[in-house]
Amino acid sequence: MTAPDLTGRVALVAGATRGAGRAIAVELARAGATVYATGRSSRVAGPSEIERPETIEETGELIAAAGGGGVALRVDHLEPDQVRALIDRIDSEHGRLDILVNDIFGGDRYAQFGTTLWEHDLDGGLRMLRMGIDTHVITSHFALPLLIRRPGGLVVEMTDGTADYNVAYRHQVGFYYDLVKAAVQRMTTAQAYELAPHGGAAVAVTPGWLRSEMMLEVFGVTEDNWRDALDRVPHFAISESPTFVGRAVAALAAAPDAGGYSGQVVSSGQLAARYGFTDVDGSRPDCWRYIVEVQDRDLPANTEGYR
């Protein structure tokens, strides 16, 4: 494939401290974009409530190491004043915003998988909604007026699961997590409609089974030896590195036909087939197809339709 070229473009990756957001920020910068990467966990201010060791400053260092330009900033996207100041800074320094990636979440900190609505801790569930929905709304509210100054602006809403897969209630992840991801899809639909008259597009992108820092830690492996976990979790074979979805977003942002996906949910595997990129090991995993055609066939018959 031809490497994506985003030279001269300005991007904001909101929620770039770790995982998919960090990789997206790095890959956009590698493609030539000037990237503003934001997150709450900081060497200076300390960790967020997620209590992970990764920091937004590390993301900035990875952007620089990739040869990209940009800046990593501590921003709480639940605080409107902080988001307004961020957008004002981008406007002042560049006068444009071409790509907005809404990847803020961290609500899995409050997930209680397998519980019903009435069993789930209410405070934690409501906090998850704030972190996964309100943050995206606040960020788009302030960012979109800058993004629509020029035609061709792209909003990427990061989600979990394809539209077809998420039609059924995903009871394993619980009411609040399911609701967050349904809301993100609806926000994509709404932004696609409202951006269209300005020549803009909004696309939801889902990674597959992501080998995030936390996931690798749970399985007791690293990115170098992650296949050691397959003896215990064979389906982990279809997992993907964060770089894979980072390359997916970079390819989408650089593609002249990206607007054709506006309002849709697309997976990293789908975009890899369309634009020809691979994961870091040269593979091209299609996790969501695998889940439907292979993994879910192992579920007991009475769980069918309740993924």
Side-chain angles (χ1 to χ4, degrees), residues 265-289:
V265 182
V266 292
S267 69
S268 48
Q270 286 177 277
L271 293 174
R274 173 67 183 87
Y275 296 120
F277 61 87
T278 65
D279 205 343
V280 291
D281 60 0
S283 67
R284 194 172 288 160
D286 191 348
C287 177
W288 291 103
R289 180 180 176 187

Side-chain angles (χ1 to χ4, degrees), residues 148-166:
I148 64 174
R149 284 188 190 171
R150 291 174 172 80
L154 175 67
V155 175
V156 175
E157 288 283 349
M158 296 302 296
T159 188
D160 175 28
T162 64
D164 288 343
Y165 197 83
N166 287 348

Side-chain angles (χ1 to χ4, degrees), residues 28-261:
L28 291 176
R30 194 188 309 279
T34 298
V35 179
Y36 288 78
T38 63
R40 291 185 300 158
S41 296
S42 165
R43 287 177 186 153
V44 177
S48 72
E49 66 203 82
I50 311 306
E51 297 180 342
R52 293 285 309 169
E54 301 84 19
T55 66
I56 193 62
E57 290 87 355
E58 290 171 354
T59 300
E61 291 164 0
L62 290 170
I63 288 172
V71 60
L73 301 167
R74 186 187 184 281
V75 177
D76 185 343
H77 285 261
L78 276 174
E79 297 294 333
D81 288 346
Q82 293 187 29
V83 179
R84 182 190 293 108
L86 168 67
I87 301 304
D88 286 347
R89 174 172 175 172
I90 297 173
D91 188 7
S92 174
E93 294 178 350
H94 297 281
R96 64 187 297 165
L97 179 64
D98 304 285
I99 305 159
L100 168 63
V101 181
N102 273 328
D103 186 53
I104 322 106
F105 187 41
D108 40 9
R109 160 77 170 76
Y110 300 102
Q112 296 175 343
F113 293 165
T115 63
T116 61
L117 168 59
W118 57 91
E119 294 169 328
H120 197 291
D121 174 68
L122 180 60
D123 289 341
L126 294 177
R127 180 65 176 171
M128 191 189 300
L129 299 185
R130 287 274 287 151
M131 295 173 73
I133 299 176
D134 291 13
T135 53
H136 291 225
V137 173
I138 291 167
T139 304
S140 286
H141 172 81
F142 289 108
L144 294 188
L146 181 54
L147 185 133
I148 64 174
R149 284 188 190 171
R150 291 174 172 80
L154 175 67
V155 175
V156 175
E157 288 283 349
M158 296 302 296
T159 188
D160 175 28
T162 64
D164 288 343
Y165 197 83
N166 287 348
V167 166
Y169 174 50
R170 295 171 61 182
H171 74 288
Q172 294 99 329
V173 298
F175 175 87
Y176 295 98
Y177 187 98
D178 182 83
L179 180 57
V180 165
K181 301 312 174 184
V184 169
Q185 181 177 337
R186 193 65 177 174
M187 283 189 275
T188 302
T189 302
Q191 290 176 96
Y193 180 88
E194 295 186 351
L195 288 171
H198 305 278
V203 182
V205 175
T206 177
W209 191 343
L210 194 72
R211 292 196 300 272
S212 64
E213 298 89 347
M214 184 181 297
M215 185 60 65
L216 292 171
E217 188 175 284
V218 166
F219 287 149
V221 292
T222 67
E223 182 58 30
D224 292 331
N225 71 343
W226 65 269
R227 291 178 179 82
D228 292 350
L230 300 187
D231 289 341
R232 290 174 289 129
V233 191
H235 291 310
F236 197 48
I238 201 62
S239 66
E240 61 195 57
S241 77
T243 298
F244 192 52
V245 75
R247 291 174 175 175
V249 172
L252 180 68
D257 64 349
Y261 289 111

